Amino acid sequence: MTTEKLAELLAVNLWVVLFVITLGMLLGAWLLWAGLQRHGNRIVALLQKLLDRLRPHAERLPMPRAVHGAWQIARQLGVQVLLSMAIAVAACVGFVEIADEIGIDEDLGQFDVALSAALSQHASDEQLRIFAAITDLGDKKFLIPLTAVIAVLMLFRRRWTLAATWIVATAGGALLNVGLKTIFERSRPERLHDFAVADGWSFPSGHSSGSFIVYGLLAYLIVINSRPRWHLPVAALAMTLIVCVGFSRVILQVHYFSDVLGGYAFGAAWVAAWIAGLEAFRRRRQGADLAGTNIS
């Protein structure tokens, strides 16, 4: 199947594609969450057993103390922190790979152009109107007041550290996105409608990264302050919002597909890094006896 035919197939079956993508991401997040909750302690125990077997060999290395010290630090950080750090690194690598493929001569860049052209032909006015409303949930005119309200609520409850982290993480992510746009200077796709207005550079998508940062961090804050039965619904709602806002930018033809992927990768790296820091801080305050697989 050629790039043009694949793009046309996706454009024609717009709702089905969006549903499959959303469901797939929700399922992946649930499997990761359930696996961590159920097998996190077992993974730590297996790693400890492996280290014990390797320790005699490690003593022959030039810096055995450094190896042992690194393991002790890893054990103190816990599964959540290590997993968040791994996700942050993986997302950064993903962002670099995506950025390397957005050129017009690259396969991803050609798919971007083909998908945007197919959507301009097949997306109906009704679909564009619906996604124009959805995309507002990732606009700065909505996210900034939402961020301010959440910050005020945390300050009112005297959660000074969380409030400061929330403000710095959301504002810093927005500023960094602007900086990345300036570095790449990618032009936006052409569109033939007035359902959405967008200016400035295109890569990475600010709506995608902004929604990932705000809704992702907000979901994390709700999870660590709520009962376990609310964890999955909160994560599912945040994931749905992130997916819908991001792909609304593609459907409205104000961003290329890779712009959204880049925004997701940047947002995931940023959120994971901040969650790692918050989890490390929480473990330090709550003591070394806190179970590394329970963030509630």
Side-chain angles (χ1 to χ4, degrees), residues 47-213:
L47 290 175
Q48 177 63 56
K49 187 177 180 179
L50 178 62
L51 180 65
D52 292 339
R53 291 183 178 181
L54 294 176
R55 184 168 295 161
H57 304 283
E59 291 176 354
R60 302 174 186 174
L61 296 175
M63 296 185 296
R65 293 183 179 179
V67 176
H68 180 71
W71 172 254
Q72 292 300 322
I73 293 174
R75 289 196 64 189
Q76 292 175 6
L77 290 176
V79 175
Q80 260 90 9
V81 178
L82 295 177
L83 179 61
S84 296
M85 293 171 64
I87 292 174
V89 172
C92 286
V93 173
F95 179 85
V96 173
E97 291 296 325
I98 294 168
D100 189 52
E101 293 292 325
I102 62 175
I104 192 62
D105 296 329
E106 303 290 345
D107 291 339
L108 183 56
Q110 293 176 1
F111 175 75
D112 282 338
V113 176
L115 181 59
S116 180
L119 286 169
S120 67
Q121 295 178 5
H122 296 286
S124 66
D125 288 351
E126 181 181 357
Q127 290 174 330
L128 294 174
R129 190 175 293 107
I130 292 173
F131 285 104
I134 293 175
T135 204
D136 288 340
L137 296 175
D139 191 88
K140 60 184 179 181
K141 294 179 181 179
F142 180 81
L143 292 182
I144 290 176
L146 175 62
T147 301
V149 169
I150 301 301
V152 170
L153 289 176
M154 286 189 285
L155 291 172
F156 181 76
R157 297 185 61 185
R158 299 181 181 275
R159 307 296 296 271
W160 313 117
T161 301
L162 287 181
T165 301
W166 170 258
I167 294 171
V168 173
T170 52
L175 292 175
L176 188 55
N177 179 268
V178 174
L180 290 171
K181 285 177 178 288
T182 303
I183 292 174
F184 290 100
E185 293 187 346
R186 189 188 196 188
S187 299
R188 294 179 182 270
E190 295 182 3
R191 64 184 185 280
L192 303 176
H193 64 81
D194 296 323
F195 289 99
V197 178
D199 52 13
W201 302 113
S202 188
F203 183 88
S205 166
H207 279 63
S208 301
S209 63
S211 60
F212 205 117
I213 292 170

Side-chain angles (χ1 to χ4, degrees), residues 212-291:
F212 205 117
I213 292 170
V214 172
Y215 296 130
L217 276 178
L218 181 58
Y220 166 78
L221 294 176
I222 294 175
V223 162
I224 64 174
N225 290 285
S226 63
R227 296 181 179 180
R229 69 171 181 265
W230 293 106
H231 293 180
L232 189 58
V234 168
L237 178 60
M239 185 68 70
T240 301
L241 286 171
I242 291 168
V243 171
C244 290
V245 168
F247 282 91
S248 71
R249 307 302 287 170
V250 181
I251 295 168
L252 290 168
Q253 304 138 55
V254 292
H255 276 293
Y256 291 113
F257 177 69
S258 59
D259 296 337
V260 172
L261 292 183
Y264 283 162
F266 163 64
W270 190 252
V271 169
W274 280 99
I275 289 178
L278 284 171
E279 282 296 312
F281 179 76
R282 291 178 69 234
R283 287 179 62 85
R284 183 177 179 181
R285 291 193 60 181
Q286 295 177 8
D289 292 333
L290 180 65

